[in-house]
Each structure stands twice: as C-alpha cells, then as structure tokens.
Amino acid sequence: MIIHMIGNAHIDPVWLWRWPEGVSEMISTCRTMVEMLKNSDDLIFTKGEAMMYEWIEKTDPQLFDEIVKLVKSGRWNIVNGWWVQPDCNIPSGESFVRQSLYGKRYFKEKFGIDVKVGYNVDSFGHAATLPQILKKSGFDYYVFMRPGPNEKSLPSLFRWRSPDGSEVIAFRLSRNYETRRDKGDLERQIRAYLEDSSNLGSTMVFYGVGDHGGGPTIEDIDYIRKHKDFSDEIKLEFSSPDRFFGVIRDKKETLPVVEDELQYHSIGAYSVNSKMKILNRKSENALTTAERFSTIVSVVEGIAYPYDVFEKAWKSLLFNQFHDLLGGTAIKEAYEDAYNELGGVISDAEKIKHLSLQTLSKDIDTRGDGLPFVIFNPSAFEREEYVEFEPWLNWEEWDERILIDSDGHEVEYQKVHPTELMNNTYRILFKAKVPPLGYSVYWLKNGKPSRVKKHLIYGDGFIENEFYRLKLTDEGYINLYDKQKNIQYFSEPSCVPVVVKDDSDTWSHGISQYSREHESLKARKVKIENGKLESKIRIEIIYKRSKILEDITIHAGDPVIRVHFIVDWHESFKMLKLKYLFNEIKRVIAEVPYGMIERPLNGQEYPMQRGLFFENDNCSFTIVNNGKYAYDVLDNEARITLLRNPPYAWHIPYRIKRNETLYFTDEGIQEFDIWMSGYSPYQIGEGSKIARSLNEPLEIFSIPKHAGKFAPRNSFFEVNGEGVLLEALKMSESKDGSAIIRLWETTGTNRRFFLNAFGNSKAFSIKGHEIKSIRLKNGSFKEVDLLEK
C-alpha cells in the first residue's frame, strides 16, 4: 500500500489574529518552504487559496517568482482553486461560483495551471449542492475534514453526488490536516489514516504545522525518509493530492456514492455574530443587483462595464466569507476590519447600481401631468408589491393628490409617516406593479382621488385582508387563518420570541441541537395601527436588560405578512429563537446554496439560506428572511434562530473564569425582516419568489420630466418558466461584449423555460436542481460552464 504523504501548511488568514498578522505568517511560511524545497530533491509541498498567492505577489515579488518556478517543477502543488477556504453553508450559491471564477482564473494566469482539486479541510460543513458547483467549475476532486468520523459515518473516499446528479471524488481526512511538534504525533497520524483507508491500495496522510502556519518540520521530513518502508506492505512517499487522485482516478466506478450534505460540525456557526451574517447577505444582494443593472446599461446604452470595481468588491466579499470570519468564530478585533470592508463592498455596489439606474432614467419618457418618479425591478419576474415613496414637494402642505401609473390608471395610496420629524413632509404607500428587470413610471398630480374601497378589516385584537385574518393574543402572539384556503396554519398562537439557555462555546462544539426548553417572551405593549391599505400590529417586549420591537404588517390585496424586528440584546449565554406551532408538517425544505434540500423533523439545528418551506398535502407555508441562516424543526414545532450571544472566540476546553472581562458576539442592536406567506402545495418556486422580493427590494426615486427613447413601462430581461429563477446577470469576464446569464431550477422537476433578453428570445430545457449558465452574444445564446467557457 502506498501512503501519499501530503506536506501542507494550513494558514488561517484571520482568526485569533487580524488579517495583517495572517499576511505576515503566509509570507514567512512560504519563504521557509521555498528554502526547504531548494535543499531537498524529494519533498513536495501543497498549498491553496488564490488570495494568499496574490498577497505574496504584491508584497514579495521575488518570493512569488521562486514559487512559480517550484510549481512548474512539480515540487509545489496548488490545490483549492478558490479565493479562500470559505464557510461552505452560509455564502450564496453565486458566491461559491465567484470563488472558482476568480481563484481558478488567477492560477491559470499566474501559474498556467488548471486546478482540479477542491480543498476545504477546515470548513465546518459542506452543502449538498457543492458537487455541481465544483464540477461545473472544472473540479474533479474534493478534500475535506469536517464532519469528522464521530460526527458522520462516511467512507474515506467516495463519489459525492449533488441533487442534479453531478459528481466529484471526495476524500475525508481521517484525523487532521496538521501534525503537532510532539514526538510520535506523525506516526499516530499515519496509523489513524490506515484504520480509515479505502482499501484501494493507496491513501493520503497530511502533515505539517498549521492554523498559524508553519508547514512540514525537519523532524517530520526526517521521519518519513527514515520510515519510507513503514512495513512490508506499506510505503511512505512524499506526494500531493494531484498525484493521489491520479492513481485512484481509474477506480472511480468502484467507489461508493454519497448523496447527502456533509454536516454537522459547529452548528453555532450558522447563527453566531448576526451583524457579520447580515452584512454578508447585504453584500451579496448589492453586488448581484448592481451587476444586473450595470449589464443592462452596458447592453442598451453602450456604457463601459466596471470590471475592475466588481472584481475588487467580489474579492473583498470572498475573503470575508473565510470560514472563521463568516462563521462568527474569530476575535472581536478581526470583525472591526470585516465590518469596514463589507461596508465598502456595499457602498461600491450601491454607487454602480444608482449610476446605472440614472443612466437608464435619462432615456425614459416621463412626460405627463404631475411629478414623475420611477420604480425599478431587479428581479427577472414581474413584481406586484407595496412600496413607500417620499415625493419632494418643497414643504407644500397638501391633502389631495392623484397617483397615476404608466397605463394612465389611478392607483390608490395611503399617507404614512416619514422617518424625519418635519412639517409638511410626506410619504406615500401604494401597490406598485413593475415588469421583470425593468421599470414603471408613476406620476403624482393635483386632483381629488377617487373614493377608496374598504380593503382591510380590523377590530379588537385582530386585523385582516382578503387573504388572512391575524388574531392577536394578549401576549403578542398570532393565530393565522387563511380565508381563501379555509385553513388555520397554527395549532397554537405562533411567531413567539423564545429565549433558550446556551452554555455552548462560540462554535457550539459537541452538540447537534439546542434545548427545547425555553422562556416565551410576552408583550409589554401592543398597538394596532390601521389605514386604508396597511394594518400594522406594533409589539414591544422587554426582557431583563433587552428590548424587542416587532411590527407585523398586512396590506390590502397582498398575500405576504411582513414582520420587521429591531432587537437590542444584552443577555449573555442566551439565544433568541422565533417559534411556530403548525397544525401539521409533513416536509420541511430549506434553501441551500443554489438548491433546496429536505431534512428530517428531528429538532437538530440546520443551516439555511433565504427561505424555509413547510408542506403537507393541503397547504404550504413559507418563512423567508434577509440575513438569518439557522433553524430547527421537531415534529410540528419550527424555530428560526435569530441570534446567539456567546463570547467572541471562546473555544472549549477553555474554562471561563469568574469575573473575567468578556465581549459578546450579538450584544447590541440589530434589524432584520421575516416575511411569511401561504402558497399552493408543491409550488415551492412561488415561495422562492417571495424570498427574492425581500432580498432584492424595488428601487424607487424621482426622475425629471423629459422625452426619451424608452416607454414609461419597460422590461429588458425576463425568465418565463415556473420554478426557474435568475441569480446572476453580468458581462462576461472575456470582455468580448457578451452577457452571462445564470439560473437554477428550484423544485427538482425537469422543465422548459423561455429567456427574453434585450429583444432576443429562446426556449431552454433545464433539469431538476440544475444550475445553468448561458452566454448571450450578438443575439445568439450558448450554454457555458460556471467559468463562462
């Protein structure tokens, strides 16, 4: 048997140190490894993460040139063609695509290699959809460590298959990616891997000092040379993952198949440090929205696409998706850097977006009676939902104005209070209808509005519209009756904030679920505000030193219930969840990166993305969010995890000392939204659109009155097909004037859909759970991989 000895140096660029320390350690480790390789003919070193190489290229060009030579000689092996080793549950599917897009392109340009080995040995878990993302990004293999053998039973080597059928060959590290400096650790490492070997005549053993860098030691290298004949049947060889996979590649058909997510390690990482996770979601949404409108402007207006700004912003986001940063397990000082950097990402994206929208606005025909304003839709499906707009009327007092849409029809509106405290400033609320990836112009003009029909009903402790009746308990909980389906969704009053005692460390090491015991929080104040188009329940909760403000809102003719939270939290070692008690749950489906997955109703803490979907034979219900990533369901009780508040970077077995000064991760104020809606059974794609509406808000602003080449209502791009959603619309990295369109199928059903893009139309087929990338150039569509090839 051949044991491929993999000399490596796992380096966390940020964790228990800030990123400048990570840069210093990367340079130091790589400089040491270059010297060791120069003085050795047999040693091979393995290292990944494009970000590290770019840092070295910028700070030490001479060292970088030495690494290039060693890569060409085969002595320095590059794996993980991603920008960093990210958290592999929380980033969006498109973020994983960009890890490959920027990482693999960098390695191709600088080293002339096409990295085939995906490598995330320190990430806390791995989404079930990653094999498709990896395979369509040009990877054939994947190396990981967590979950460990004590957390999930897996073969050491297997074919990992995603829901669409894509496969990569995956290898799990049996013990660790590093060896300690104590005598005998390398031998213990070898024997642990032998116990878990795949019986294919070959396996890998990883060695080298890690986390804060270091790499293979002289003692480890001498041991391998001295024991190259480990036994009569076992030989040790300096090697690399590429060599190992090259040996076992032809034995692929003999390997077992795993069709599952690779979880669960460190369940606390799904929810700890809410600010970091909300900033991540905002950054992803801001970048993809800015790309869509910038692409439209590039195609229809001929404006240069800002490739450099997008690349810089995406690389900043990808770095901050490093598993310890986005997972919430780094030190407090590291997050000051991360918050600043993600704020810059959002700012850059917002500037690009609004400059693009203003460029389009100048060519929209806005002539008409009254003050014009425009609403842009960033989604590839028509949106009909409520928006608020604050017209600038020079502090004029007004009682009667008429709102007119792009078809000349009067639109009902309701005055609502603006955020400022000024006389004669006004905000209006109304239901807008905006075509896919397009816009609609509205006008506010003088005149007496038509008489408004009564749409909302309210009374003592209840509000209702055409879809729902929400009855409020004295404690501030809700019963929800669907008037059209004649269904009571909850068996008991729900949407209940509950406090759960949480003594686990920052990672929640060693547990798979949190206690079902909890303290239900009750409202101190409840107030119902009613208008002709909007009814709102305002709830104030005081809990010890903390305060929760909760607004539950319904609108006329709208099937979505919107809940806005402002939480000021000051309770250490306690987590806050939002509890629902359903009449019946047969299936729970969670959105994961570029996919959906059904999970058991076993009370375990699970990761999710934008939406959670509850289904039975008679009805379905979705709960979507704009920055929360964890939930649990036991039987018919579901809980969304809103926050956790352990100390920063507390890692067992460290024991917290009495009266020790501690800083807590979720201390302070945070704002977020939870939207809820019923939908037709097994029409999960409709629920997914609600998640997109929350995360991709309509854009609205005033516009000068002028003639233009575009009509007052217009769509530039549309995806027409049930269950198929657009995720990315961008200009190609080839800079040849082509656009890249990325979509995915949300329901697991093979489908046909139509693309209507900039005056070009074509029908496509898509498999259930498939991610599809399409290039549009000169009116012609062509399917490409995730690297746009």
Side-chain angles (χ1 to χ4, degrees):
M1 182 178 186
I2 302 298
I3 298 183
H4 295 255
M5 302 299 297
I6 311 299
N8 77 102
H10 177 77
I11 304 172
D12 289 323
V14 57
W15 177 32
L16 306 181
W17 43 86
R18 294 174 58 231
W19 68 264
E21 174 78 5
V23 173
S24 177
E25 185 52 44
M26 285 178 176
I27 294 171
S28 176
T29 295
C30 289
R31 186 176 292 124
T32 299
M33 291 312 306
V34 165
E35 293 304 313
M36 291 180 72
L37 289 166
K38 283 182 179 179
N39 297 318
S40 170
D41 294 330
D42 53 356
L43 181 63
I44 297 174
F45 179 65
T46 293
K47 189 76 189 82
E49 295 77 68
M51 169 273 305
M52 182 203 77
Y53 291 88
E54 186 180 70
W55 280 1
I56 293 173
E57 180 188 15
K58 291 179 177 180
T59 58
D60 194 337
Q62 183 176 351
L63 175 60
F64 186 80
D65 289 342
E66 295 283 358
I67 294 172
V68 170
K69 294 174 186 176
L70 289 167
V71 170
K72 289 181 178 178
S73 72
R75 306 283 310 289
W76 188 297
N77 181 236
I78 294 178
V79 293
N80 186 31
W82 284 5
W83 200 245
V84 295
Q85 291 190 36
D87 182 279
C88 289
N89 284 305
I90 298 173
S92 68
E94 189 59 25
S95 288
F96 287 114
V97 172
R98 303 309 172 95
Q99 291 279 355
S100 298
L101 187 66
Y102 292 116
K104 291 197 78 170
R105 188 181 70 186
Y106 180 85
F107 288 128
K108 190 69 174 177
E109 290 177 353
K110 303 298 181 179
F111 297 92
I113 61 172
D114 183 15
V115 180
K116 294 292 185 182
V117 179
Y119 185 94
N120 286 297
V121 296
D122 205 27
S123 301
F124 304 144
H126 310 263
T129 47
L130 283 183
Q132 181 179 188
I133 295 172
L134 288 162
K135 193 67 177 178
K136 290 187 174 182
S137 300
F139 291 96
D140 295 321
Y141 314 105
Y142 192 64
V143 181
F144 70 102
M145 184 176 72
R146 300 188 179 98
N150 62 316
E151 295 165 321
K152 187 177 183 69
S153 177
L154 288 169
S156 62
L157 189 67
F158 56 92
R159 291 153 56 192
W160 188 23
R161 182 180 296 165
S162 64
D164 77 305
S166 300
E167 287 184 358
V168 291
I169 298 176
F171 178 90
R172 178 169 70 178
L173 280 64
S174 300
R175 186 169 182 254
N176 210 330
Y177 47 74
E178 62 182 0
T179 45
R180 299 175 180 86
R181 295 182 183 275
D182 59 303
K183 187 176 181 180
D185 192 56
L186 179 55
E187 182 174 339
R188 290 192 292 272
Q189 188 93 311
I190 293 170
R191 296 194 182 281
Y193 277 81
L194 286 173
E195 291 178 6
D196 197 33
S197 66
S198 59
N199 297 319
L200 291 176
S202 185
T203 192
M204 287 191 283
V205 171
F206 290 71
Y207 69 97
V209 179
D211 287 338
H212 195 250
T217 64
I218 295 296
E219 292 78 10
D220 285 344
I221 294 168
D222 288 344
Y223 178 91
I224 294 169
R225 287 174 178 154
K226 182 178 179 180
H227 296 86
K228 64 180 180 179
D229 295 321
F230 192 76
S231 70
D232 291 341
E233 298 82 19
I234 299 171
K235 310 296 180 185
L236 307 185
E237 289 185 2
F238 293 113
S239 189
S240 68
D242 280 276
R243 289 190 182 184
F244 168 73
F245 286 118
V247 169
I248 60 92
R249 179 172 50 215
D250 295 338
K251 302 175 182 179
K252 175 181 176 180
E253 297 305 318
T254 67
L255 298 177
V257 174
V258 173
E259 298 181 83
D260 198 3
E261 52 189 345
L262 306 181
Q263 314 284 17
Y264 298 91
H265 178 89
S266 297
I267 62 170
Y270 310 150
S271 53
V272 71
N273 197 327
S274 293
K275 182 174 182 178
M276 186 66 187
K277 290 173 172 59
I278 289 171
L279 282 172
N280 173 73
R281 182 75 66 81
K282 286 183 177 179
S283 297
E284 291 175 333
N285 292 336
L287 280 172
T288 53
T289 297
E291 283 181 336
R292 293 175 194 175
F293 286 120
S294 187
T295 298
I296 291 171
V297 167
S298 181
V299 172
V300 305
E301 299 278 17
I303 302 297
Y305 189 78
Y307 286 99
D308 292 344
V309 180
F310 276 128
E311 181 171 339
K312 178 178 177 293
W314 270 109
K315 286 180 177 179
S316 293
L317 172 58
L318 298 179
F319 172 73
N320 284 282
Q321 291 177 336
F322 178 72
H323 55 268
D324 281 308
L325 262 182
L326 187 52
T329 58
I331 59 173
K332 178 179 181 292
E333 297 87 339
Y335 285 107
E336 296 302 317
D337 298 326
Y339 301 155
N340 290 337
E341 193 164 7
L342 290 178
V345 170
I346 296 167
S347 178
D348 286 345
E350 287 290 304
K351 288 174 183 175
I352 293 173
K353 177 185 70 179
H354 283 288
L355 288 174
S356 298
L357 296 181
Q358 292 292 345
T359 301
L360 289 171
S361 296
K362 78 179 189 321
D363 287 327
I364 298 174
D365 188 344
T366 58
R367 293 172 296 179
D369 186 14
L371 174 73
F373 58 94
V374 63
I375 305 175
F376 283 93
N377 176 6
S379 306
F381 54 88
E382 184 175 74
R383 299 266 291 271
E384 190 171 3
E385 61 193 59
Y386 277 84
V387 297
E388 292 184 10
F389 176 64
E390 194 165 328
W392 182 244
L393 298 173
N394 294 316
W395 288 295
E396 295 176 13
E397 185 174 353
W398 60 279
D399 292 320
E400 293 184 343
R401 301 237 176 182
I402 300 173
L403 182 62
I404 302 297
D405 67 14
S406 301
D407 296 321
H409 299 140
E410 183 179 347
V411 179
E412 294 177 285
Y413 69 88
Q414 174 184 328
K415 282 187 181 180
V416 294
H417 203 286
T419 56
E420 69 270 13
L421 302 175
M422 301 284 291
N423 288 328
N424 298 328
T425 58
Y426 306 91
R427 182 174 290 189
I428 59 173
L429 169 82
F430 64 98
K431 192 175 187 180
K433 188 174 183 179
V434 193
L437 262 173
Y439 61 85
S440 290
V441 178
Y442 286 78
W443 291 264
L444 191 63
K445 68 177 186 178
N446 293 322
K448 184 176 182 179
S450 301
R451 185 175 180 179
V452 177
K453 300 176 184 178
K454 186 176 182 180
H455 297 286
L456 299 175
I457 304 172
Y458 52 90
D460 185 17
F462 77 91
I463 57 176
E464 65 180 275
N465 62 8
E466 296 91 329
F467 294 93
Y468 308 115
R469 177 184 174 94
L470 277 73
K471 186 169 178 56
L472 193 69
T473 68
D474 292 339
E475 295 83 3
Y477 315 147
I478 62 171
N479 288 297
L480 179 60
Y481 174 68
D482 190 314
K483 296 163 65 175
Q484 296 190 349
K485 298 184 178 69
N486 191 26
I487 290 170
Q488 188 80 36
Y489 285 108
F490 305 139
S491 61
E492 296 181 22
S494 291
C495 202
V496 180
V498 299
V499 177
V500 179
K501 185 179 180 182
D502 176 21
D503 291 328
S504 63
D505 68 7
T506 312
W507 288 256
S508 290
H509 280 120
I511 63 173
S512 62
Q513 57 188 289
Y514 297 105
S515 173
R516 307 308 296 182
E517 295 182 8
H518 60 260
E519 185 176 355
S520 297
L521 303 187
K522 298 179 181 180
R524 185 178 76 166
K525 294 181 181 177
V526 176
K527 180 182 178 183
I528 295 180
E529 297 180 355
N530 293 291
K532 57 187 179 182
L533 296 178
E534 177 182 85
S535 287
K536 182 179 296 185
I537 301 170
R538 313 205 76 164
I539 300 169
E540 180 183 295
I541 298 170
I542 301 296
Y543 175 71
K544 297 184 178 180
R545 297 181 300 143
S546 300
K547 184 177 182 179
I548 301 172
L549 300 177
E550 181 182 352
D551 285 349
I552 304 174
T553 304
I554 61 170
H555 296 100
D558 187 21
V560 178
I561 302 161
R562 307 179 185 203
V563 189
H564 181 71
F565 285 91
I566 303 176
V567 179
D568 186 10
W569 196 250
H570 300 281
E571 314 309 321
S572 55
F573 303 103
K574 293 183 186 295
M575 65 191 310
L576 183 66
K577 284 178 171 277
L578 192 63
K579 185 181 77 170
Y580 298 83
L581 289 160
F582 288 90
N583 273 315
E584 181 184 35
I585 301 175
K586 284 195 172 181
R587 304 200 305 159
V588 174
I589 300 168
E591 182 184 342
V592 296
Y594 266 140
M596 300 284 183
I597 187 168
E598 182 178 351
R599 296 196 179 106
L601 317 179
N602 59 6
Q604 184 167 323
E605 190 84 349
Y606 288 110
M608 66 174 177
Q609 294 270 312
R610 291 164 287 200
L612 200 58
F613 307 90
F614 303 88
E615 298 194 337
N616 58 44
D617 295 335
N618 300 315
C619 65
S620 300
F621 194 79
T622 184
I623 301 175
V624 303
N625 70 85
N626 61 354
K628 299 302 171 185
Y629 290 91
Y631 74 96
D632 67 68
V633 181
L634 181 64
D635 300 327
N636 294 321
E637 180 183 275
R639 305 188 302 182
I640 312 297
T641 306
L642 302 182
L643 59 85
R644 289 185 64 233
N645 200 26
Y648 283 94
W650 169 39
H651 194 304
I652 57 172
Y654 179 88
R655 289 181 175 270
I656 295 175
K657 302 174 182 62
R658 188 176 182 181
N659 298 324
E660 185 170 1
T661 299
L662 302 171
Y663 297 95
F664 290 86
T665 56
D666 270 1
E667 194 87 6
I669 296 176
Q670 57 174 287
E671 286 190 63
F672 54 91
D673 296 274
I674 301 289
W675 286 9
M676 306 177 290
S677 182
Y679 63 97
S680 299
Y682 308 105
Q683 297 294 316
I684 196 171
E686 294 304 307
S688 296
K689 287 182 178 180
I690 296 171
R692 298 310 177 278
S693 294
L694 171 57
N695 283 272
E696 301 169 3
L698 298 172
E699 299 287 341
I700 181 169
F701 55 85
S702 296
I703 184 171
K705 191 178 296 186
H706 51 58
K709 63 182 179 181
F710 298 134
R713 176 181 170 88
N714 190 22
S715 172
F716 297 103
F717 186 103
E718 180 181 11
V719 178
N720 191 341
E722 182 182 340
V724 181
L725 292 178
L726 174 78
E727 204 70 32
L729 174 64
K730 61 183 290 291
M731 297 304 290
S732 169
E733 298 297 318
S734 64
K735 301 182 181 179
D736 63 352
S738 61
I740 298 297
I741 303 157
R742 190 143 36 248
L743 318 98
W744 62 292
E745 201 287 321
T746 62
T747 69
T749 304
N750 296 344
R751 297 187 182 278
R752 295 271 289 174
F753 69 94
F754 291 87
L755 280 184
N756 300 310
F758 311 114
N760 306 284
S761 300
K762 188 175 180 180
F764 291 87
S765 296
I766 189 168
K767 295 189 302 181
H769 303 299
E770 183 183 3
I771 308 165
K772 190 176 285 286
S773 290
I774 299 165
R775 182 189 300 275
L776 173 60
K777 183 178 182 181
N778 298 327
S780 178
F781 295 92
K782 179 184 177 182
E783 293 189 28
V784 294
D785 63 18
L786 296 181
L787 299 182
E788 306 178 4
K789 298 177 181 177

